[in-house]
């Protein structure tokens, strides 16, 4: 059994308390939510936090709600909760699609939405899905609360804008009618991280794409999104050729990492294929067969 | 054949048949006892420091800071062991392996030092305090470069070893092969790699070693598939006499050949207990298991198959480059450096065959024979079954028809192969016909044609395999010099219940149930009345353990033999009780009775009670119902089967979906068909794993790229279709109940069926071959005509 290095443990009881504890340990404390990223890293001793600040009992961080035209997903919402929520599935099918293929039920029972995006793993599926939806992150510090577009949230691999004294409170997704969304993933096996995954959200006026979001995971897309393909699509009429071209544009702007999941040429091809297919599925769900 | 089975006739009540496993009562309650569950008073914990480099000189090992850790009790280094003459240990393949590195490290993950501390955490912390100075050396990673003159020499410790060559081994008749190839209308050639994979049992390897300084007895609890062999090796290494060493294997959470050998961690734990006088536990972690213990396969093969235009196969020629890693530690019968690869002629009637295998050292972990390979028959079956499919492609012939035309006919058994094996029994065409029928083969081909019209990729893959299990006789087969025979011992208690003691050791195969059924069947007592004892060298007779599917073939035969001995002894006592001659007695329905007068007779329980009563036995008859034996198999047994796999492939993503898998197995007589099915299910899942996702690759520096379950993927239920099983039963003529063994058959037979199916799906693209694992990227690259190499890092 792999065993972590020594650490201290604190249990936060509220958002304010968590922020206070983060301040108290001044950079040496690390939040722990589901622990499904952090604990494996600690066991491999790739992470050695001096203090773990457990937020699992902070009720304020939980819950999914609809407020003022936004879907609010608490940082501590477990993967399973998001997966099982019918309203979420109806508003944003992309989220249920993604949750179905994230890890396995054991991980999904504990792993959280907040932990997933804060981990900022370049292969994280939710980062791509919520970025496609242009979600906002609510970040709480000792003094202030910031609302950051998720597309500006990721600084780089395993790095976000959340400062050492801050925590993520929730994600907010603007609810708009007239569209739909989808998420597709290719992995080597059920429960495995993506070889490549793509989420797409489209809003249509008749045939015309009025707004679109494309998120990519594990494919080396900057900030998890395909901005160039989105720009290309906006204002165009849906057709097989147009969606195919969007795939090509997205692939061109990816810089896929080369690893045992595949070489760059394959992953680039996969980016194009999945972008096109996810757009097709989203359009079909929005009532426009391609 | 039927006479050998007569002895088991048992009236109406048969003890054979599907029944729940006795051992599951504790497993499903979470009450099994695995080695890591053991906690002895005063027990210390060990941790192994491993080399981060694949090849380097060890300049110095400074453990002073670790020793200063308040919870550390000892640090063992190569030097500590060298002082005791224990820095190196023998392997089953006439080589030596470093226990802890003294001169060099030769693979990433090699054992360098062993820390003993009060708890697991402190032991792990202290590893970071050991300062090792390495002088990096260039590494030999690619087996194909191992014999090039400028390759660094891995084993410069071996006197006279000037390159990385280990052995050359040949089988068959090269001259005859050249002749039949000259006559052939078609010759097909293909290079293929059976990649390095790992058995990855759920429970990793581990040990608790307890050297009692007063009694000078060493007790070892460990995950040992071969407890008796371990004991002998420990005696040889430590100098402790064999009778003062006891090896106990409690429940084992999967082995698949991973737990046959003795690992450096075990030896270190024993030495640590000798030094500290306390019990010492060492439990390997997952990465250690995947990086340092017995891997499997790593065979670079070139096959050539020759045939007439009508599809009659004439001959097969094979060249193999075998990557054995840094130490030649393959666990196989010692006269068989390529294991049983010699059965590569498979299930076909060939006029000539020849193979030449060259083993090489590389800077990778040692091993090669593991993961239910049946001593390399996985590689052999994969080779021949791929070659037959390639030939079918070349001849544009249906692969089922080509196989049917060339399979051995039932009247050819016993059959002597071109490479010197005598197959015991079989009806191969019947098994293949059954698989085709179960699958509705013709309908599948019609569906495939329709889908191809629509541009969809569907593939149908076949594989027909012949296994060879129960290695013997002992004059040809030994491990570590121990003949591959198995002991068994049986005692009947006065009440007629029984305890049978096995020399083999279950790792999940259900020995406690199957072996009880064997005894119950022979003696006409209840299965519940038979207790099975295994895995304790103080309480079981000597034997070489459970691997190579040998338990039923060898230990099973020993148990039946010993039960029949007890039955014969019961006959003598019954004759005395009935005051008749033993010759007048007949056995039936679990009783000895007077021929012609069925009323007059006694059951085994009645005889047992009397045997231990005041009853005066006749002269020359010892009044007990105990027996002990050792079974020396006259030949191997040869299970076989026909497998068929159906896949769908997405050409744009390269994803493969296994839609169906039909498996017709013939393992001779089935004792507990439910357990047999379970073994088959497992092996089929293995096949999907190996064919589609499992691999250990290395980068150019020799870094291991599969050191966790994030990188080394095992299949889940979602990759497995609902298995469609069928059977035929062809008893083995020489096994006392006609059983052949099933442990590894499905692992041996299934990978080729999956790969053949994927290649069949890719035929419209002109793809002939791609190496396992057929990951999405590998499939897509094969379609592009630029196949990936699966033994090196993807670049
Ligand atoms: C076997 C396995 C398979 C997986 N497969 C997939 C997969 O297929 N796809 C996929 O996308 N993911 C996958 N994951 C990752 C999984 O979804 C995430 O690791 C996990 O859910 C992260 O959430 P957590 O709550 O467990 O985070 P934790 O491990 O608790 O934390 C992760 C990081 O986020 C920080 N953090 C947590 N909460 C907050 C907060 N509120 N504010 C600020 N920082 C915070 C922590 O300090 C830590 O640095 C897999 C994980 C495992 C173990």
């Amino acid at each position: 059994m792999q065993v972590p290095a020594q650490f201290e443990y604190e249990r936060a009881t509220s958002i304010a308390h968590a922020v206070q504890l983060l301040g108290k340990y001044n950079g040496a404390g690390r939040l722990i939510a589901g622990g499904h990223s952090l604990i494996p890293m600690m066991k491999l001793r790739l992470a050695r936090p001096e203090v773990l600040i457990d937020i699992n009992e902070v009720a304020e961080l939980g819950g999914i709600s609809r407020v003022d035209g936004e879907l609010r997903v608490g940082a501590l919402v477990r993967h399973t909760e998001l997966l099982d929520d019918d309203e979420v599935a109806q508003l944003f099918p992309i989220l249920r699609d993604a949750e179905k293929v994230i890890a396995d039920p054991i991980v999904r029972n504990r792993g959280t939405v907040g932990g997933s995006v804060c981990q900022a793993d370049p292969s994280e599926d939710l980062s791509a899905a919520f970025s496609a939806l242009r979600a906002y992150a609510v970040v709480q510090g000792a003094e202030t609360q910031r609302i950051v577009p998720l597309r500006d949230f990721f600084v780089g691999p395993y790095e976000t804008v959340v400062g050492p004294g801050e925590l993520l409170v929730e994600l907010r997704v603007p609810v708009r009618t007239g569209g739909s969304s989808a998420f597709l993933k290719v992995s080597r096996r059920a429960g495995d991280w993506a070889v490549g995954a793509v989420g797409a959200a489209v809003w249509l006026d008749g045939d015309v794409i009025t707004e679109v979001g494309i998120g990519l995971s594990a494919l080396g897309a900057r900030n998890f999104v395909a901005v160039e393909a989105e720009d290309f699509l906006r204002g165009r009429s849906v057709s097989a050729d147009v969606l195919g071209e969007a795939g090509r544009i997205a692939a061109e702007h990816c810089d896929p990492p080369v690893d045992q999941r595949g070489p760059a040429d394959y992953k680039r091809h996969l980016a194009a294929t999945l972008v096109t297919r996810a757009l097709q599925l989203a359009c079909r769900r929005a009532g426009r067969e391609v | 054949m039927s006479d050998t089975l007569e002895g088991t006739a048992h009236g109406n009540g048969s003890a054979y048949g599907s029944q729940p496993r006795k051992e599951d009562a504790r497993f499903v309650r979470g009450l099994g006892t695995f080695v890591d569950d053991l906690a002895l008073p005063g027990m210390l914990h060990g941790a192994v420091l491993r080399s981060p480099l694949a090849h380097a000189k060890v300049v110095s090992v400074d453990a002073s800071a670790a020793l200063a850790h308040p919870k550390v009790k000892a640090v063992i280094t190569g030097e500590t062991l060298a002082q005791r003459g224990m820095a190196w240990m023998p392997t089953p393949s006439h080589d030596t392996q470093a226990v802890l590195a003294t001169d060099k490290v030769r693979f990433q993950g090699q054992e360098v030092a062993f820390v003993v501390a009060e708890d697991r955490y402190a032991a792990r912390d202290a590893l970071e305090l050991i300062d090792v100075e390495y002088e990096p050396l260039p590494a030999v990673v690619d087996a194909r470069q191992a014999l090039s003159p400028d390759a660094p020499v891995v084993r410069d410790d071996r006197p006279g070893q000037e390159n990385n060559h280990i052995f050359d081994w040949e089988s068959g008749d090269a001259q005859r092969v050249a002749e039949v190839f000259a006559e052939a209308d078609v010759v097909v050639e293909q290079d293929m790699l059976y990649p390095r994979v790992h058995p990855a049992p759920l429970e990793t390897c581990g040990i608790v070693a307890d050297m009692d300084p007063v009694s000078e007895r060493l007790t070892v609890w460990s995950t040992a598939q071969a407890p008796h062999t371990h004991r002998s090796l420990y005696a040889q290494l430590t100098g402790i006499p064999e009778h003062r060493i006891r090896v106990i294997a409690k429940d084992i959470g999967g082995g698949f050949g991973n737990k046959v050998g003795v690992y450096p961690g075990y030896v270190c734990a024993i030495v640590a207990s000798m030094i500290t006088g306390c019990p010492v536990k060492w439990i390997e972690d997952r990465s250690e298991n995947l990086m340092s213990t017995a891997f499997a396969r790593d065979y670079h093969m070139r096959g050539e198959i020759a045939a007439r235009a009508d599809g009659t196969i004439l001959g097969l020629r094979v060249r193999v480059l075998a990557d054995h890693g840094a130490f030649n530690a393959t666990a196989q019968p010692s006269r068989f450096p390529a294991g049983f690869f010699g059965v590569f002629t498979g299930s076909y009637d060939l006029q000539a065959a020849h193979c030449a295998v060259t083993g090489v050292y590389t800077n990778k972990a040692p091993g090669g024979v593991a993961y239910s390979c049946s001593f390399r028959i996985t590689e052999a079956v994969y080779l021949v079954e791929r070659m037959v499919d390639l030939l079918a492609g070349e001849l544009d012939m249906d692969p089922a028809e080509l196989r049917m035309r060339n399979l051995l006919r039932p009247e050819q058994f016993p059959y002597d192969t071109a490479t010197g094996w005598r197959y015991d029994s079989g009806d191969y065409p019947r098994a293949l016909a059954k698989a085709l029928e179960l699958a509705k083969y013709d309908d599948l081909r019609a569906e495939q044609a329709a889908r191809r019209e629509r541009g969809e990729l569907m593939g149908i893959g076949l594989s027909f395999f012949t296994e060879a299990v129960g290695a013997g006789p002992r004059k040809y087969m030994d491990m570590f010099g121990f003949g591959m025979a198995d002991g068994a011992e049986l005692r009947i208690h006065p009440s007629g219940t029984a305890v049978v003691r096995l020399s083999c050791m279950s790792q999940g195969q259900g020995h406690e149930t199957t072996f009880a059924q064997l005894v119950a069947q022979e003696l006409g007592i209840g299965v519940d009345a038979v207790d099975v004892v295994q895995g304790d060298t103080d309480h079981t007779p000597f034997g070489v353990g459970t691997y190579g599917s040998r338990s039923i073939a060898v230990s099973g035969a020993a148990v039946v033999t010993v039960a029949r001995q007890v039955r014969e002894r019961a006959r003598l006592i019954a004759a005395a009780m009935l005051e008749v001659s033993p010759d007048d007695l007949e056995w039936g329905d679990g009783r000895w009775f007077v021929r012609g007068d069925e009323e007059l007779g006694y059951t085994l329980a009645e005889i047992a009670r009397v045997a231990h009563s005041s009853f005066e036995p006749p002269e020359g008859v010892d009044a007990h119902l105990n027996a002990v034996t050792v079974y020396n198999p006259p030949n191997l047994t040869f299970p076989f089967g026909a497998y068929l796999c159906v896949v769908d492939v997405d050409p744009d993503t390269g994803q493969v979906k296994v839609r169906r898998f039909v498996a017709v197995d013939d393992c001779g007589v089935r004792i507990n068909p439910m357990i047999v099915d379970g073994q088959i299910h497992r092996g089929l899942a293995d096949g999907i794993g190996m064919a589609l996702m499992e691999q250990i690759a290395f980068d150019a520096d020799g870094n291991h790229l599969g050191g966790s379950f994030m990188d080394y993927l095992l299949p889940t239920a979602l990759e497995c279709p609902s298995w469609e099983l069928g059977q035929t039963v062809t008893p083995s003529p020489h096994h006392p109940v006609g059983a052949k063994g099933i442990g590894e058959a499905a692992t041996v037979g299934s990978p080729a069926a999956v790969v053949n199916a994927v290649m069949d799906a890719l035929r419209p693209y002109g793809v002939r071959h791609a190496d396992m694992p057929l990951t999405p990227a590998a499939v897509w690259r094969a379609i592009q005509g630029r196949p990936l190499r699966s033994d090196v890092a993807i670049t």
Side-chain angles (χ1 to χ4, degrees), chain B residues 270-284:
Chain B
I270 290 170
V271 173
S273 182
M274 292 165 74
I275 289 175
T276 60
C278 299
V280 174
K281 178 189 274 189
W282 172 68
I283 306 289
E284 196 181 58

Side-chain angles (χ1 to χ4, degrees), chain A residues 30-41 55 61 75 78-79 101-104 107 110-116 118-119 123-126 162 166-169 185 191-194:
Chain A
R30 184 94 175 251
L31 297 172
I32 183 158
H36 272 285
S37 290
L38 188 51
I39 290 178
M41 291 198 305
I55 53 173
L61 289 173
R78 313 279 167 189
H79 288 300
V101 292
I102 289 176
D104 50 42
V107 174
R110 296 291 302 168
T112 66
V113 170
S116 295
C118 289
Q119 179 68 17
S123 302
E124 179 59 54
D125 294 314
L126 285 187
V162 180
E166 294 180 313
L167 87 166
L168 175 72
V169 174
K185 172 173 169 176
D192 186 25
W193 292 84

Side-chain angles (χ1 to χ4, degrees), chain B residues 48 87 130 134 181 220 295 394 426 486 504 606 620 642 648 677 794:
Chain B
V48 177
I130 300 174
Y134 295 105
F181 269 63
V220 162
F295 75 91
E394 184 75 22
D486 274 358
C504 60
E606 288 164 337
D648 297 296
D677 285 354
I794 293 176

Side-chain angles (χ1 to χ4, degrees), chain A residues 1-6 43-45 48 185-190 192-193 195 258-266 269-270 273-274 277, chain B residues 120-121 124-125 128 283-285 287 650 652-653 655 693 695 697 705 710 713-716 718-719 776-777 780-781 786 788 793-795:
Chain A
M1 187 179 71
Q2 273 134 338
V3 290
Q6 176 113 5
K43 287 171 77 170
L44 292 169
R45 300 200 174 200
R48 293 165 176 258
K185 172 173 169 176
V186 167
S187 53
R188 296 170 298 176
R189 189 205 63 191
D192 186 25
W193 292 84
V195 176
V258 176
D259 55 24
Q260 290 308 95
R261 289 188 172 81
D265 58 348
Y266 167 69
H269 175 80
L270 189 62
T273 303
L274 292 182
R277 287 186 184 178
Chain B
R120 208 170 265 191
Y121 293 84
R124 176 65 184 79
D125 289 348
E128 292 165 20
I283 306 289
E284 196 181 58
D285 70 32
S287 298
D650 180 333
D652 274 316
T653 64
Q655 277 177 303
M693 64 195 78
Q695 69 168 332
L705 302 177
M710 233 169 75
L713 299 179
L714 298 175
T716 73
L718 292 179
E719 281 72 44
W780 185 79
R781 273 296 204 87
R786 291 179 287 119
L788 284 174
I794 293 176
T795 51

Side-chain angles (χ1 to χ4, degrees), chain B residues 700-729:
Chain B
D701 296 325
N703 292 307
H704 186 290
L705 302 177
S708 83
F709 277 158
M710 233 169 75
D711 308 299
Y712 191 81
L713 299 179
L714 298 175
T716 73
L718 292 179
E719 281 72 44
C720 299
S722 181
W723 311 116
E724 300 170 63
L725 305 189
Q727 59 164 309
T728 60
V729 177

Side-chain angles (χ1 to χ4, degrees), chain A residues 80-145:
Chain A
T80 349
E81 287 175 72
L82 195 60
L83 174 62
D84 290 345
D85 194 298
D86 290 333
E87 192 181 13
V88 168
Q90 192 246 322
L91 289 173
F92 304 113
I94 185 175
L95 294 177
R96 180 168 282 181
D97 288 352
E99 284 295 3
K100 272 189 187 162
V101 292
I102 289 176
D104 50 42
I106 302 163
V107 174
R108 293 200 293 259
N109 284 341
R110 296 291 302 168
T112 66
V113 170
S116 295
V117 297
C118 289
Q119 179 68 17
D121 187 309
S123 302
E124 179 59 54
D125 294 314
L126 285 187
S127 301
F130 279 106
S131 295
L133 293 172
R134 292 196 168 72
Y136 294 88
V138 179
V139 179
Q140 181 71 50
E143 319 277 273
T144 53
Q145 192 178 71

Side-chain angles (χ1 to χ4, degrees), chain A:
Chain A
M1 187 179 71
Q2 273 134 338
V3 290
Q6 176 113 5
F7 59 87
E8 300 298 323
Y9 176 85
E10 293 267 14
R11 181 176 296 167
T13 52
S14 65
I15 294 175
H17 186 209
V19 172
Q20 184 212 323
L21 288 169
L22 284 169
K24 176 176 161 194
Y25 291 104
N26 194 23
R30 184 94 175 251
L31 297 172
I32 183 158
H36 272 285
S37 290
L38 188 51
I39 290 178
M41 291 198 305
M42 287 170 65
K43 287 171 77 170
L44 292 169
R45 300 200 174 200
L46 298 171
R48 293 165 176 258
E50 286 172 37
V51 187
L52 281 187
I53 300 169
D54 186 345
I55 53 173
N56 280 283
E57 287 180 13
V58 180
E60 299 163 83
L61 289 173
I64 300 172
S65 57
R66 214 172 144 176
V67 183
D68 300 337
E70 283 177 337
L71 179 79
R72 297 187 172 182
V73 181
L76 208 56
V77 166
R78 313 279 167 189
H79 288 300
T80 349
E81 287 175 72
L82 195 60
L83 174 62
D84 290 345
D85 194 298
D86 290 333
E87 192 181 13
V88 168
Q90 192 246 322
L91 289 173
F92 304 113
I94 185 175
L95 294 177
R96 180 168 282 181
D97 288 352
E99 284 295 3
K100 272 189 187 162
V101 292
I102 289 176
D104 50 42
I106 302 163
V107 174
R108 293 200 293 259
N109 284 341
R110 296 291 302 168
T112 66
V113 170
S116 295
V117 297
C118 289
Q119 179 68 17
D121 187 309
S123 302
E124 179 59 54
D125 294 314
L126 285 187
S127 301
F130 279 106
S131 295
L133 293 172
R134 292 196 168 72
Y136 294 88
V138 179
V139 179
Q140 181 71 50
E143 319 277 273
T144 53
Q145 192 178 71
R146 308 189 274 154
I147 298 182
V148 185
L150 201 59
R151 290 173 176 224
D152 300 331
F153 181 81
F154 302 104
V155 179
Y158 309 101
E159 237 187 305
T160 69
V161 298
V162 180
E166 294 180 313
L167 87 166
L168 175 72
V169 174
E170 64 186 10
L171 296 180
R172 295 182 183 171
V173 191
V175 176
R176 269 190 285 167
T177 52
S180 193
S181 58
F183 192 89
L184 297 172
K185 172 173 169 176
V186 167
S187 53
R188 296 170 298 176
R189 189 205 63 191
D192 186 25
W193 292 84
V195 176
V198 171
V202 291
W203 287 269
L204 302 174
D205 181 2
D207 259 2
V208 178
I209 299 172
T210 55
E211 184 53 291
V212 57
I214 300 172
L216 295 88
S217 156
L219 292 168
R222 204 166 349 105
N223 294 339
F224 292 97
V225 284
V227 182
E228 298 81 0
E230 293 169 350
D231 289 345
F232 167 78
L233 288 170
R234 214 174 283 113
R236 279 181 205 263
S237 290
V238 174
S239 74
D241 283 349
V242 162
L243 301 190
E245 183 59 18
R248 275 187 292 281
I249 295 172
E252 197 185 310
H253 289 90
C254 286
D255 184 12
V258 176
D259 55 24
Q260 290 308 95
R261 289 188 172 81
D265 58 348
Y266 167 69
K267 290 189 180 180
R268 207 180 285 281
H269 175 80
L270 189 62
T273 303
L274 292 182
V275 164
T276 303
R277 287 186 184 178
L279 286 165
Q280 282 169 344
L281 182 54
C283 288
R284 191 177 315 143
R285 284 174 175 167
R288 179 66 180 76
E289 199 65 42
V290 201

